[in-house]
Amino acid sequence: MMRRFGILKAALLAALILAWPQARLMAAEGTLTAFGAASLKNAMDEIDQAYATKTKVQVKASYAGSSALAKQIEQGAPVDVFISADQDWMNYLADRSLIEKETRTDLLANRIVLVAAKDFKTDKVEIGPGFDPSPLLAGGRLAMGQVDSVPCGKYGKAALEKLGAWPKVKDHLAQSESVRAALALVARGEAPLGIVYATDATAEPGVKIIGTFPLDSHPPIIYPAAILKDAANESGARDYLTFLRSPAAKAAFERQGFTVLDGTSN
C-alpha cells in the first residue's frame, strides 16, 4: 500500500511539473505588464481599459520617472513593455541588451511648459532668449523633475541653459523623482512655478500654463516604446504595441495633448 502511494505521489508530482510551463503560459496570456513614464498615466489608463475590453487581457501598469523604471528593469523587474519619456533611458536598456531592439518604436512627442497654480497673479509670459523666471518665483522654488535623470527635468534644464536662465534659477529648484511629483508641488501651492509636459498640465485642473518653451530650446521630446528581452507574454506585448497605434489609442493620446508619431527607431 505504501509503495503504491509512493508511486502515485511521484506520478502526480511529475504531472504537475509537466503542466507548470503550460499553466505559466496561460497566466501570462491573460495579463500583460507595462512600465510607463509618469506623464503617460491618464492616457494609458484609458487605453489599457479599452485594450482589456477588446482582448480580455489585463494590463498591469506601473508609472514613475523613466530613470526609476529603467533601473528596475535592469534589476530584473518582470516587464513586457516599456515606454520611456526620452531616448536616453531606452538607449540605456538597449545598451544592456534588455529590449528586443527590432520592436523599438518612436510612439509619441510632447512639449514642455511653464505652469503655475490656477490663482497665480500672472496668466502669460513670453519664453525666449533672455527669459528670467526669478521675478515670478519671488523667492520661491521652481519645481522640476531631477535635472540629471528625470527626462522632463533634463529637457527643462537644457531649455533654461539655451535661453540663458539656468544661472538665475539653478539654486532655486525643487527637484522631484518624476514630472507628476513636480506638478503636484505646483498644484498644492508648495512651489510657485514648475516645468512639466503640456500633457501633465492638461491632466491637472489645479494648474494653468503660463508659457510654452520653444521647440528649438531643447532636444526633441520623444517617447519610445519597446518589448523587453525577457517578456513573459511576448505575443501579447506585440499585439499591445500594435494597439497603441490604433485609432482608439491615438484619440486617447491626443485628448491628453500628445502628438502621435509613426516612425521607428531601431
Side-chain angles (χ1 to χ4, degrees):
M1 178 69 71
M2 291 297 294
R3 183 170 180 272
R4 239 182 328 195
F5 176 75
I7 293 172
L8 181 61
K9 183 178 178 181
L12 180 60
L13 180 61
L16 288 172
I17 291 172
L18 288 172
W20 169 246
Q22 182 64 27
R24 184 168 180 255
L25 178 61
M26 290 173 64
E29 288 176 343
T31 62
L32 190 74
T33 302
F35 273 11
S39 50
L40 291 165
K41 182 177 182 358
N42 294 66
M44 292 300 299
D45 282 350
E46 180 182 345
I47 290 166
D48 291 349
Q49 184 175 358
Y51 184 73
T53 300
K54 178 178 183 290
T55 65
K56 310 305 179 187
V57 175
Q58 295 297 319
V59 181
K60 297 180 178 179
S62 292
Y63 305 104
S66 299
S67 53
L69 295 176
K71 290 289 187 179
Q72 289 177 39
I73 291 169
E74 182 184 24
Q75 292 164 12
V79 182
D80 296 305
V81 174
F82 176 49
I83 308 174
S84 173
D86 73 354
Q87 302 283 15
D88 289 349
W89 285 108
M90 191 64 81
N91 291 341
Y92 181 88
L93 296 179
D95 291 344
R96 288 156 179 76
S97 299
L98 294 174
I99 66 169
E100 296 287 354
K101 292 184 179 181
E102 75 279 3
T103 69
R104 180 173 177 172
T105 179
D106 290 340
L107 185 64
L108 305 166
N110 210 338
R111 300 287 301 268
I112 54 172
V113 297
L114 187 69
V115 293
K118 280 290 187 183
D119 59 356
F120 192 70
K121 62 185 183 297
T122 301
D123 289 325
K124 184 174 178 58
V125 296
E126 292 297 328
I127 300 178
F131 171 61
D132 181 5
S134 302
L136 295 171
L137 290 173
R141 293 187 174 271
L142 177 64
M144 300 176 64
Q146 292 174 347
V147 299
D148 294 327
S149 58
V150 174
C152 192
K154 292 160 62 180
Y155 293 128
K157 180 183 177 182
L160 292 170
E161 287 178 330
K162 179 73 176 289
L163 300 173
W166 180 247
K168 302 166 187 175
V169 300
K170 66 178 182 179
D171 296 324
H172 304 281
L173 302 178
Q175 298 186 58
S176 301
E177 72 278 5
S178 74
V179 65
R180 285 299 175 94
L183 180 71
L185 290 177
V186 180
R188 294 195 301 260
E190 296 175 26
L193 300 175
I195 297 177
V196 301
Y197 296 120
T199 52
D200 295 303
T202 299
E204 172 53 69
V207 306
K208 62 183 178 182
I209 296 173
I210 63 171
T212 300
F213 286 86
L215 285 173
D216 62 0
S217 67
H218 55 78
I221 300 174
I222 304 296
Y223 288 62
I227 296 173
L228 277 299
K229 182 75 75 173
D230 294 327
N233 188 357
E234 184 175 348
S235 62
R238 290 179 183 276
D239 184 64
Y240 181 67
L241 281 187
T242 299
F243 187 77
L244 291 179
R245 294 198 174 280
S246 69
K250 183 175 186 289
F253 283 130
E254 289 178 344
R255 275 193 292 273
Q256 291 299 321
F258 289 100
T259 299
V260 178
L261 304 176
D262 58 7
T264 58
S265 174
N266 297 325

